[in-house]
Amino acid sequence: SIQSTLSPFHPLLIEGHSRDTRDPTVVANQIVSNLRQSWKERNVTKPPILITQGDPLTEKGISAITRIVANELGVKRCLVCLDEDIDPDHSQLADRHDVVYELKYSQLVEILNQQKMTTDEEDGPGDDDKEKMSNKLTVAINNKIAMKNDKRKTLGQDNLADWYPKYALLQEVTKAAFKQISGEVTVAHATGDIAEFSVTSFYEVGLELGFIDEKTDMVNYYDSSE
């Protein structure tokens, strides 16, 4: 099963912008330094595996950064792509360098939905606690998009593109499902300056719903040279 294959690993996800113009080697080296420090403090003993989410390889930006991080840490990669009925091009364009496992989004949704929401247990035997985790994420992401669109309106900007929900869901489902598979996860940011209207900014949803713990799972980006 997916769980038995991947549970021996410590899942690592790196979140950042595809349009990042900084030198990817400098950024990647800083992330590696941040990770090593964090893993030492947290006593992470499982071998890491880097989880990527279908970004096509570019000279700069998140796909270039993740390649260098994987290389520096000497770890293999697991690729998660949207199913073809959601986005036919996503899998085709993905960077498959050093990828040893490949999963579809729907497989992770299935794993995530095996989990029961502990916060609803006090509500008694109502239907609430049977609500699927992926539905909770979908509702929360749609609410976040509505809030961001309201803000954009006040700034005189157009609504976020209609592809936002599927990529925000891919990001949040992947992290939550891998934490469930392994019992642990590291989410490292590739910048301390997450753009307010980026897909990356939806990491707040995973924190708000308690899928990701800011203290134990997150590694913020800080530049030691600053």
Side-chain angles (χ1 to χ4, degrees), residues 36-93:
R36 286 187 169 137
Q37 180 68 30
S38 171
W39 286 340
K40 195 173 161 187
E41 287 167 7
R42 288 154 60 201
N43 196 25
V44 170
T45 54
K46 288 184 179 183
I49 188 167
L50 181 65
I51 317 300
T52 57
Q53 293 161 47
D55 297 285
L57 183 62
T58 48
E59 202 177 316
K60 292 181 174 176
I62 193 64
S63 62
I65 292 165
T66 50
R67 251 203 198 204
I68 299 165
V69 169
N71 200 33
E72 280 296 307
L73 290 171
V75 300
K76 295 297 184 192
R77 310 202 303 177
C78 173
L79 172 66
V80 181
C81 287
L82 289 168
D83 299 65
E84 284 182 2
D85 59 332
I86 303 173
D87 184 338
D89 298 326
H90 193 236
S91 173
Q92 288 175 12
L93 299 170

Side-chain angles (χ1 to χ4, degrees), residues 13-171:
L13 297 99
I14 299 169
E15 295 181 336
H17 305 323
S18 54
R19 293 183 180 155
D20 193 327
T21 55
R22 296 169 299 163
D23 179 340
T25 305
V26 173
V27 177
N29 287 340
Q30 186 59 54
I31 292 169
V32 167
S33 162
N34 296 350
L35 284 170
R36 286 187 169 137
Q37 180 68 30
S38 171
W39 286 340
K40 195 173 161 187
E41 287 167 7
R42 288 154 60 201
N43 196 25
V44 170
T45 54
K46 288 184 179 183
I49 188 167
L50 181 65
I51 317 300
T52 57
Q53 293 161 47
D55 297 285
L57 183 62
T58 48
E59 202 177 316
K60 292 181 174 176
I62 193 64
S63 62
I65 292 165
T66 50
R67 251 203 198 204
I68 299 165
V69 169
N71 200 33
E72 280 296 307
L73 290 171
V75 300
K76 295 297 184 192
R77 310 202 303 177
C78 173
L79 172 66
V80 181
C81 287
L82 289 168
D83 299 65
E84 284 182 2
D85 59 332
I86 303 173
D87 184 338
D89 298 326
H90 193 236
S91 173
Q92 288 175 12
L93 299 170
D95 179 22
R96 284 181 168 77
H97 180 71
D98 268 350
V99 166
V100 286
Y101 301 110
E102 192 165 328
L103 299 171
K104 287 191 190 324
Y105 167 73
S106 59
Q107 292 174 290
L108 292 181
V109 168
E110 203 175 305
I111 287 168
L112 185 61
N113 285 338
Q114 291 165 5
Q115 188 181 341
K116 289 278 178 280
M117 203 67 167
T118 50
T119 49
D120 288 333
E121 278 172 9
E122 298 123 41
D123 296 346
D127 287 333
D128 258 1
D129 59 339
K130 296 193 187 77
E131 192 184 340
K132 289 179 173 172
M133 297 294 112
S134 58
N135 292 353
K136 285 186 182 289
L137 269 173
T138 303
V139 169
I141 283 168
N142 287 337
N143 288 342
K144 187 72 81 178
I145 286 173
M147 282 165 56
K148 287 181 187 285
N149 282 338
D150 284 346
K151 177 141 191 205
R152 287 176 71 86
K153 197 181 282 182
T154 65
L155 298 169
Q157 296 175 353
D158 291 338
N159 279 350
L160 294 171
D162 56 10
W163 47 259
Y164 262 75
K166 62 186 178 188
Y167 286 103
L169 264 170
L170 172 66
Q171 175 179 288

Side-chain angles (χ1 to χ4, degrees), residues 193-204:
D193 187 21
I194 303 287
E196 185 180 8
F197 300 118
S198 63
V199 170
T200 306
S201 72
F202 286 83
Y203 80 93
E204 294 168 349

